[in-house]
């Protein structure tokens, strides 16, 4: 089929498929790819807070970009644009949860390690950090994102345990 031909034609490219009907599994198997089942109760997890720090990267710049992403993610979770106060909470708590991770990766960098999925902060870590702030505004914000961090919509609240760097990745969103 045309997707197989495209994968063979471009051997240095990666291919990502959103699969709402479960039809791309044979294609994934054919090219020894990775299927990621994105649904409540799935054992497959992708942590949106993953942060890879390659040598030569500016840690400050990488962290700033990740916190910008975290703000955008929170806007999606809350369904509204962030207030200045909420942006401050995201920035403060985002920096706090990444601080131990960055120190950890610095110790592993001489060994060539650029990412440690098990040491990575998660949305649950972020939620817990916000709750520890102890003020009313932070608590209200934490409650707004709670379903996605520790509640029934926590699909992205766990450490990454799939190979999303595979050449062919199929995101199975069939419930």
């Amino acid at each position: 089929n045309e997707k197989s031909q495209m994968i063979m034609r471009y051997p240095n490219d990666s291919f990502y498929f959103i699969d709402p009907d479960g039809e791309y599994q044979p294609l994934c198997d054919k090219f020894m790819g990775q299927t990621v089942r994105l649904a409540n109760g799935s054992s497959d997890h992708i942590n949106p807070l993953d942060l890879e720090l390659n040598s030569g990267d500016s840690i400050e710049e990488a962290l700033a970009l990740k916190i910008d992403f975290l703000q955008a993610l929170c806007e999606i979770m809350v369904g509204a644009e962030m207030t200045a106060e909420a942006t401050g909470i995201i920035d403060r708590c985002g920096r706090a949860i990444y601080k131990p991770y960055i120190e950890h990766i610095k110790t592993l960098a001489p060994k060539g390690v650029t990412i440690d999925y098990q040491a990575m902060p998660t949305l649950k870590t972020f939620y817990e950090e916000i709750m520890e702030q102890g003020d009313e505004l932070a608590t209200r914000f934490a409650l707004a994102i709670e379903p996605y961090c520790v509640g029934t919509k926590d699909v992205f609240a766990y450490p990454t345990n799939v190979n999303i760097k595979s050449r062919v990745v199929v995101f199975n969103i069939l419930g």
Side-chain angles (χ1 to χ4, degrees):
N1 76 31
E2 88 180 49
K3 289 176 182 46
S4 291
Q5 291 172 0
M6 188 178 298
I7 292 169
M8 290 186 293
R9 185 176 300 134
Y10 300 101
N12 297 323
D13 292 345
S14 296
F15 296 87
Y16 301 92
F17 299 96
I18 308 284
D19 192 3
D21 299 318
E23 63 186 309
Y24 290 110
Q25 188 62 51
L27 179 73
C28 186
D29 292 344
K30 179 178 180 179
F31 290 98
M32 295 178 286
Q34 173 74 58
T35 298
V36 181
R37 184 172 165 264
L38 297 178
N40 286 332
S42 173
S43 61
D44 295 344
H45 302 293
I46 299 173
N47 180 0
L49 302 188
D50 284 347
L51 178 62
E52 186 167 10
L53 296 171
N54 294 303
S55 63
D57 285 351
S58 163
I59 292 173
E60 294 78 21
E61 186 176 320
L63 183 58
L65 288 170
K66 186 52 77 169
I67 290 175
D68 284 348
F69 169 77
L70 187 53
Q71 179 180 341
L73 184 62
C74 287
E75 286 179 357
I76 292 168
M77 287 189 270
V78 172
E81 194 168 320
M82 295 292 103
T83 64
E85 294 84 2
T87 300
I89 292 167
I90 294 166
D91 185 75
R92 180 175 62 247
C93 294
R95 284 183 287 117
I97 65 170
Y98 278 107
K99 187 175 183 178
Y101 174 74
I102 290 170
E103 293 305 314
H104 170 70
I105 285 297
K106 284 179 181 178
T107 66
L108 298 176
K111 299 175 188 169
V113 176
T114 59
I115 192 165
D116 182 347
Y117 293 108
Q118 294 308 308
M120 191 74 62
T122 64
L123 285 175
K124 182 178 180 183
T125 314
F126 180 60
Y127 169 81
E128 290 167 349
E129 181 68 28
I130 295 170
M131 289 299 284
E132 287 178 14
Q133 300 300 300
D135 65 74
E136 182 183 341
L137 183 62
T139 301
R140 282 198 330 261
F141 180 70
L143 292 174
I145 65 170
E146 184 176 70
Y148 302 95
C149 302
V150 296
T152 58
K153 299 176 183 191
D154 67 347
V155 172
F156 296 104
Y158 301 94
T160 298
N161 66 355
V162 293
N163 181 11
I164 57 171
K165 292 183 178 184
S166 180
R167 187 162 172 261
V168 175
V169 179
V170 173
F171 296 98
N172 181 332
I173 58 173
L174 180 67

